[in-house]
Structures are given as C-alpha cells and as structure tokens.
Amino acid sequence: MNSPATFEYYFTLQHNGRARVRTPFHCLISISAVAALCILAIGPKSAKGQAPAESVASSPAQIRALKITVLSTMLVGDAILTHNHGDHVGGLMPLRREMMKKNPAALSVAHVSRGIFYSRPSAKGEQNEMIGIRKDYEASGGKCIEHTEGFDIFPGAWLTGPVPRKYPERNWSPGGKVQTPSGLIEDNIPEDQSLVLNTSRGLVVLTGCGHAGIINILTYAKQRFPNQPAYGVVGGLHLFAASDEQLNWTGDKLKEFRVANLLGAHCTGIEAVYRLRERAGLTRKSAIVGTVGSMFTLSEAIRPGVLAK
C-alpha cells in the first residue's frame, strides 16, 4: 500500500522588526514518490539576518533554514498532489483515515493543479484514480483546492500549478489519453506541478515526476523569482528512459541555469543522474542518486546516503 510523504515546516517570520515564531505546520506532499521530512525556518533576507520593519512588506519572504530527508523513493501522497498517477495519490485516503483517529481535521485540504481530475479513458476503463479518490476524500470532509496558476501556499513556498511547456521535453510515458475541454489528446500530464522554495541560498525545486520537464519548471520558477539562483533540484525527473540526446540537452540546460545541486530520485534514473552530473559540470558531492536517508540542507547542500557516496 502506498503512503504519502510527511513534511514538517517551522516558520520564523519577522514582524515589526521582531522575530515571531509560529507553531509547526504539518502537510503531506506527493512531491515525487519521494517521501521526505522537511524542516524550514522562514524570514526576510538581510545582510545580518535581521530586516528593518519597513522592508518586511516589500521583500519576499525567504526560507532561512531547510532540511529534506528522503524516507523512501517510492512513497506517495500529499496535501500537495503533484499529478494523478497512483504512486503519488494512492496513499492519501489510507493516511487521512488513520490520522483522523487523533485529529478529524488532519489532511483536510489538498492542493491540486488543473487537469488532475480529467478523465483518462482506455480500453480497460477509467485510468485516473484521482476521480474516485476525490469522491472518498470529499465525503470524508476533505477539500481539494484546484490551482490554475502559481500560488504561494505559505511565505517562501510557491506552488507552480500547471507549468507552461516552453520546451518539448516530453517527460512522460507515451500511450495514454486525457479528455480535456478541447478534446481527447495524448496525456502529457497537464496538471504536473512542483514546489519552489525561495531560500536564502537560492531556489530549491521539489518535483514529483517532473512530467512538465525540469527545464520548463526551472524556466517558470525563474520568471517568478528572476534574481534567485537555482540552488537545488530534488525529486523525480522522469528521465530513466530518455535518449542520450535528451539527457545531453537537459544537462546542458541545467548548466545554463547554474544548478548547484541535484538529488535525482524516483523516476529520474541512475544512468540519467550520472549523465546530468557530467553535462551540468557537477560532482559526486553535488549530484547524486537519491536513496533512503539522503538529505538536503541549506548549510551542507546534499548529504548522501551510504550507497550514493
């Protein structure tokens, strides 16, 4: 049985020149079938880590501390659901039911992207599990918030919503169909979304499977945060079956974006990570295959598991 990944967020915000600590915020994120534990501290950026009161409203909130630990590279689920595939949504209801035993409001809100509920017809019947999951989820009191564009789910954390496909990356498995408002077309997973964390070191992008294409995702993220470098990419990139040509192109583009760290997990592919490392000019320390126990922090960047060293 699939189970969602748990993320724990700690907020430290500045208000009227004084730090104000909020209680931890818990949510589940199917940001890859990579389950991870995140601990964040958030505050506006300044030279000394303290912002004057008048700058708080004008400057975007930034995450000042971050720790991501990979618990499993085939776990799933969320309060953020990246796309409709079963290995990313199948654990939502089992986990909600279990957590409701202690807190009826647990996992009562799910952030999804437009297209996640589109029908996926096939000769074997409906292939989109989210249609049925939605009924059960809403019957349990849960609420799905469907986004058609980028959205700040909390200060310093931007959910992309549907990602514009500037480049024809085609990072999805062929053969599927999706019923859209404009008709039945090839299923390119239009709802694929990622979480972009605006940190004091730069952007950290957490992907699900990256079906929109990691270069498209980074391009969109840079439009939202034009002055921020790409400090890290964490999650699945769906490149395990990519050709040498596609891997070379992707690696070259990652180098253009000056991505400093890559923790490729889930559907990225082992050989794909090695090729991206080479083409992007990264090292064994800054580009690794995500394994259980791998960590990503702002202070140390990637802390690999034993097998990934």
Side-chain angles (χ1 to χ4, degrees):
M1 180 180 69
N2 293 318
S3 300
T6 303
F7 286 67
E8 185 172 33
Y9 302 95
Y10 288 83
F11 296 86
T12 302
L13 300 177
Q14 296 285 334
H15 180 64
N16 293 332
R18 301 174 61 185
R20 180 178 63 190
V21 179
R22 297 183 179 180
T23 55
F25 170 75
H26 300 267
C27 76
L28 291 168
I29 300 184
S30 98
I31 245 57
S32 109
V34 174
L37 173 66
C38 274
I39 302 176
L40 312 179
I42 301 176
K45 183 179 180 181
S46 70
K48 296 182 179 180
Q50 296 287 334
E54 61 270 17
S55 71
V56 174
S58 59
S59 60
Q62 285 190 332
I63 293 167
R64 308 296 293 169
L66 167 68
K67 181 180 179 181
I68 303 172
T69 303
V70 177
L71 306 179
S72 168
T73 59
M74 281 307 296
L75 261 156
V76 46
D78 215 24
I80 296 172
L81 302 178
T82 58
H83 58 290
N84 76 92
H85 291 165
D87 59 334
H88 292 256
V89 300
L92 177 61
M93 281 310 301
L95 187 58
R96 173 159 165 75
R97 292 189 185 102
E98 185 62 29
M99 295 180 69
M100 285 177 68
K101 294 176 181 178
K102 293 186 177 180
N103 179 9
L107 299 185
S108 58
V109 176
H111 291 274
V112 300
S113 178
R114 181 183 57 194
I116 196 169
F117 301 120
Y118 288 171
S119 175
R120 268 74 178 190
S122 76
K124 297 181 180 179
E126 181 60 61
Q127 297 297 299
N128 187 354
E129 296 182 32
M130 269 305 295
I131 295 175
I133 291 173
R134 180 185 192 179
K135 294 178 181 178
D136 293 340
Y137 183 67
E138 292 181 344
S140 73
K143 177 182 179 181
C144 293
I145 300 178
E146 190 169 355
H147 299 285
T148 60
E149 59 185 3
F151 178 77
D152 291 308
I153 59 172
F154 56 79
W158 182 66
L159 192 61
T160 65
V163 176
R165 310 291 176 95
K166 178 178 180 179
Y167 299 103
E169 295 186 72
R170 298 187 62 82
N171 289 7
W172 61 84
S173 300
K177 297 292 184 180
V178 58
Q179 186 68 51
T180 71
S182 58
L184 187 66
I185 62 173
E186 180 183 11
D187 190 2
N188 63 358
I189 327 298
E191 74 274 15
D192 185 71
Q193 62 179 348
S194 297
L195 183 64
V196 180
L197 304 174
N198 181 27
T199 82
S200 56
R201 300 293 296 273
L203 303 181
V204 177
V205 179
L206 275 70
T207 65
C209 280
H211 289 302
I214 185 55
I215 305 306
N216 286 326
I217 294 167
L218 287 170
T219 299
Y220 194 36
K222 289 291 284 185
Q223 291 176 7
R224 175 65 175 82
F225 303 100
N227 299 318
Q228 283 289 72
Y231 185 61
V233 172
V234 180
L237 305 183
H238 206 80
L239 291 170
F240 68 94
S243 66
D244 289 346
E245 180 182 12
Q246 183 178 2
L247 290 174
N248 290 342
W249 179 87
T250 304
D252 292 345
K253 284 291 185 180
L254 290 176
K255 188 172 185 178
E256 290 180 15
F257 274 102
R258 302 178 72 177
V259 172
N261 298 280
L262 169 65
L263 200 164
H266 184 42
C267 56
T268 304
I270 296 173
E271 178 58 32
V273 171
Y274 297 156
R275 181 65 62 87
L276 296 177
R277 172 198 290 171
E278 176 186 0
R279 300 290 296 202
L282 299 174
T283 68
R284 288 183 62 180
K285 184 177 181 180
S286 60
I288 71 164
V289 176
T291 62
V292 174
S294 299
M295 295 183 184
F296 185 93
T297 69
L298 291 188
S299 58
E300 300 179 55
I302 296 174
R303 189 187 303 172
V306 175
L307 291 177
K309 288 184 178 179

